[in-house]
Amino acid sequence: MESSVLSLVIFLPFLLSFPLFSFNRAQHGTARWYALLSSLLVFAGALYLALQFNPSSGFQFEHTALQNWLGDSMDVKYSVALDGTSMLLFAFAAFMFPVVVLGSWERVTTNAREYYFFLLMLETCILGIFSAVDLFLYYMFWEAMLIPMYFLIGVWGGNGRGDAATKFFIYMLTASLVMLIGILSLGYISREMGGTFTTDYHKLLQLELPLSVQNILFWLFGLSFFVKAPLFPLHTWAADVYSESPTGAVLTGVLLKMATYALIRFNVMLFPTASANFAPLVCTLAVVAIIYGALVAMSQPNAKRLLAFSSVSHLGFIVLGIFSFTQEALQGAMILMVNSGLTTGLLLMLVGWLEERRGDVRLSEFGGLKKNMPMFSAAFLIATFASIGLPGLSGFIGEFLTLSGAFKSTTLQTGLYAMLAALGVILSAAYMLPMVQKIFTGELTSERNAALSDLTPREILVAALLVAMIIWIGVAPNSFLKLSETSSQAVIEFVTQKSASQALAK
Amino acid sequence: MPNDYLLSLPILAAAGWSVLLIILEAMLSRAALTRVFAMLGFALVGGLSVIGFPLQGLAFSEMLRIGGFQHFANIIFCLSGLLVVALSEKYLDDENVHYGEYYIVAFISVVGMMLLAAAANMAILFIGLEMMSIALYVLAGLMRRDVRSNEAAMKYFLLGAFASGLLLYGISLIYGATGELALHKIAIAIQTGSASMLFWIGFGLLITGFLFKISAVPFHQWTPDVYDGSPTPAAAFMSTGAKAAAFSALIVVVTNFSTLLQNSPTWSLVISSIALATMVVGNIAALAQENLKRMLAYSSVAHAGYMLVGIAAATPDGYSGIMFYTLVYTLMNIGAFGVVALLESKENLLLASDYAGLFKHRPMLAGAMAVFMLSLAGVPPLGGFIGKYKVFAAAVDAKLTWLALAGVLASAVSAYYYLRVVYFMFMRDPVGEAISAPATSSLAFALIAVAVVLLGVFPTEILRITDAALKFAQLPTQTGF
């Protein structure tokens, strides 16, 4: 079916961002209400798509335009669609934006129009990334996203914001440019194998790429995603960016899911044999990331940096789930993507609010907050438990599926990865709980801490929304799992069949 | 032969208009009026090129080659001239060098560029090149009382004359080897016989002359000093119009000898190496610059390197990519130089750190400058990205993946120094007094920025035109009659 509803939803935030400039520059009140309504409208659109979505079939809501975008010698076009792999993340991203707008309600008072302009522009880029089915279009969104991110971090971030923004930009740009060479090579290879230069995802899936080519392209593409994920040892930008980002840093949580999504969408699907071959190596890195991230998190004196490293550890689970090549693990990874966005997002937002009140996020500065901030403590505790995978909350189901899938994986051949990764679950309790302890328990020793006020109704609303999602996924995961069930099965079958036929050809 | 006149109408009109400008200035000597007429002239000539776009053929005893390619190049030259003239007035006023001759000389330079791109014969090639260059020497030295402007003009003149000498010597050697001056006849002579050593030496010298004009490494040393010393709008003109002209002529020359060059691994290796060196040296040197004009000068060296990647690929896609690139580059680079000129002339601000907090006072100007910087860095969805994409795609297609890879890494380095400007404008608080700039010029820059964005999002039609424009340049033996 050819319809432009999906495109409308993708570009709605961008189109809605321009009227912002007609607002009075000094007044930030109207701008934020406008941004909230705009993002809610987009979320309504995404929700409509999710309800129309048929989980048992493939790509839906396809819309193509701009045929031969880059001249007649190249089959490059604007082409978007959603399938089971992307639908959940698409809706999740649209859900997070109103939350972020509410979350940074009081924080952004200077240049508010520009802040919301970039935020809405970012939303278009992210929705585009989750729905592009042309590699060139995907690349455009993927890189264009750097511009709003750069300004959001650099203008409205913490004290070291400028350097963090530059670091983020350069890291991402370098890795993406390498992927650009990968996209170009892939396009020309498809021409050599009979046909035209193409970046059409559907056509590229049909290619029978020789293994040697797959091996090279796997890393040209993978580098970009591994940097953004971030997978150990490419994670060095993450802590700075997390700690300097504005409250909209919650976005980092959403952002990083784009990389793991792209791993499934592009690396695994386009280079299945290479992916299967490199699975042990990638999973080793993932397990190292899980344990290394947890160990470093343990020694962080700063709450934001601690969360950054915990996120590195979580990303390890997701990557492990993807590269185990069992349906169970893959579905676990998809749920984990949403979960880590929710829990790390909530935690970062809570820490951000604490920073707004206190101007500091060093753990040693706090203690006994549960006395004067009960609501804050409750929200923080729930997010912490979800983050360490307590049953009944969203973290458990994802980690369980991932680990049991990885344990049974025939690609990995050994349960060792799953066993070592399980260690990470224990370690996560070992760094999260002491943080909770340091902030909330004990006596209220410092006067400045005693003066801190509890969450405002607005903040309670935001936290409650996220907590509701966390509990919903934890209690009734099936409503989410069924979205991706067919497509994850299709991914696994596709990979198994492709790598088997390639092994046979040898 | 009325057809000759019809074909070369844009060039004839431009030459006639420059005479008109001279008379006008001599009779009335009012710079502001001459400026308006120069802008009208650019618009007229550009318009004639648009109308005449489908016409093609050889004109005036096969001296000129006119086709879509030349018309497209003319449009770029006129655009460059128009924008530079439009943005010059304030700067020239502030520097007390607002002479009407400035506009006349710029106009004559554009006539030279048009001749250069349209040359079918090496005599015209040389005349066009000299006409363009001598006018530029004058523009470089416009600020007579400024030591550095004098130094820039002298340096540019001496090195430029040296390069012209090399080029002329190359032409004479090629003539000695083949007995022909017309490019397409030389190509036939080479095909029937074989390329002698004498020809290769001559060809090498000819190319060296061009490499000097586009400031490719190792012939780039003049660039930062000349751009730095020249009036800023003139530097914008040199880095866009003149560069586009030299690239147009280079494309015409190499497409004429395409069969010869495609079978020569040495040629491919030499051009690839020069492209690589130009990208690397330009970007690394730009990293170390505090002065924005010098930074933009080295950035212009680096961009010459990216464009040379298209020459190294030696495919129609590569050349078409260069044409698109020169169009975008003209817009974004004149935009960047224009902002520098605007602020420099007011407050003598030349360092990136002087731009601290510009966003607070002039958000629209800062926004436009950010678009130029990000586009120069090649970030999608801005025009600069599509230009790079096209030339790097051509390189991958021509099995020069290593060169494309080096190119993208070099452009990742470049992001650092472009972002530094954005960093100061947006992420630092203003120091000292507010930077003031007239609102009208902010609007002009915003329009250029919008054009850069549109070229990045909807490049399709322009790319179709560049693809089509190359067809005639591709057919060296076609006489058209």
Side-chain angles (χ1 to χ4, degrees), chain A residues 458-470:
Chain A
R458 169 188 61 87
E459 288 167 337
I460 293 175
L461 172 69
V462 175
L465 276 173
L466 291 172
V467 166
M469 285 294 287
I470 288 172

Side-chain angles (χ1 to χ4, degrees), chain A residues 345-364:
Chain A
L346 179 53
L347 286 168
L348 276 171
M349 192 131 53
L350 290 167
V351 170
W353 291 335
L354 193 59
E355 191 183 23
E356 280 171 31
R357 289 173 165 73
R358 181 68 161 74
D360 206 337
V361 286
R362 278 174 300 165
L363 296 176
S364 55

Side-chain angles (χ1 to χ4, degrees), chain A residues 25 66-74 76 111 113-114 118 136 139-140 143-147 150-151 153-156 161-163 165-166 169-170 173-174 177-178 180-181 183-185 188 191-192 197 199 220, chain B residues 317 359-363 370 374 377-382 385-386 389-390 392-394 396-397 399 401 404-405 408-409 411-413 415-416 419-420 422-423 426-429 456-461 463-464 467:
Chain A
R25 202 175 177 202
L66 300 172
Q67 296 289 342
N68 293 342
W69 199 358
L70 297 182
D72 296 327
S73 59
M74 291 177 169
V76 173
N111 301 312
R113 332 179 280 189
E114 286 83 1
F118 284 122
F136 180 78
Y139 185 82
M140 289 281 266
E143 287 261 74
M145 180 215 73
L146 294 181
I147 299 174
Y150 175 72
F151 285 102
I153 300 174
V155 180
W156 293 276
R161 57 185 194 260
D163 294 332
T166 306
F169 196 98
I170 304 271
L173 185 72
T174 312
L177 282 167
V178 174
L180 179 64
I181 299 295
I183 294 176
L184 287 172
S185 309
Y188 283 112
R191 192 185 67 183
E192 271 170 30
F197 175 98
T199 51
L220 286 181
Chain B
D317 272 350
F359 169 59
K360 294 251 158 56
H361 303 301
R362 317 279 337 163
L374 290 169
V379 181
L382 305 172
F385 166 70
I386 303 288
Y389 178 88
K390 286 300 273 185
F392 291 149
V396 173
D397 190 21
K399 303 277 173 262
T401 310
L405 199 57
V408 295
L409 292 177
S411 74
V413 170
Y416 182 78
L419 281 185
R420 197 162 49 189
V422 182
Y423 167 76
F426 283 82
M427 297 165 200
R428 281 296 198 70
D429 288 326
V457 182
F458 302 108
T460 320
E461 285 313 309
L463 285 171
R464 285 226 172 93
D467 283 346

Side-chain angles (χ1 to χ4, degrees), chain A residues 429-448:
Chain A
Y431 62 79
M432 290 303 286
L433 293 180
M435 174 165 75
V436 171
Q437 204 179 6
K438 279 178 200 155
I439 297 181
F440 296 104
T441 60
E443 290 301 312
L444 261 177
T445 43
S446 133
E447 273 178 30
R448 294 176 65 191

Side-chain angles (χ1 to χ4, degrees), chain B residues 246-291:
Chain B
F247 263 105
S248 307
L250 188 58
I251 290 174
V252 169
V253 169
V254 295
T255 46
N256 268 290
F257 301 119
S258 56
T259 32
L260 178 72
L261 297 176
Q262 264 157 18
N263 298 323
S264 163
T266 324
W267 163 256
S268 168
L269 186 67
V270 168
I271 288 294
S272 303
S273 316
I274 291 175
L276 176 69
T278 309
M279 291 187 291
V280 171
V281 172
N283 279 318
I284 291 186
L287 276 181
Q289 305 304 318
E290 284 297 322
N291 179 317

Side-chain angles (χ1 to χ4, degrees), chain B residues 194-214:
Chain B
S194 66
S196 60
M197 199 57 198
L198 193 61
F199 169 82
W200 277 116
I201 296 172
F203 187 72
L205 290 171
L206 181 71
I207 297 299
T208 307
F210 284 123
L211 290 179
F212 174 86
K213 289 291 168 200
I214 61 173

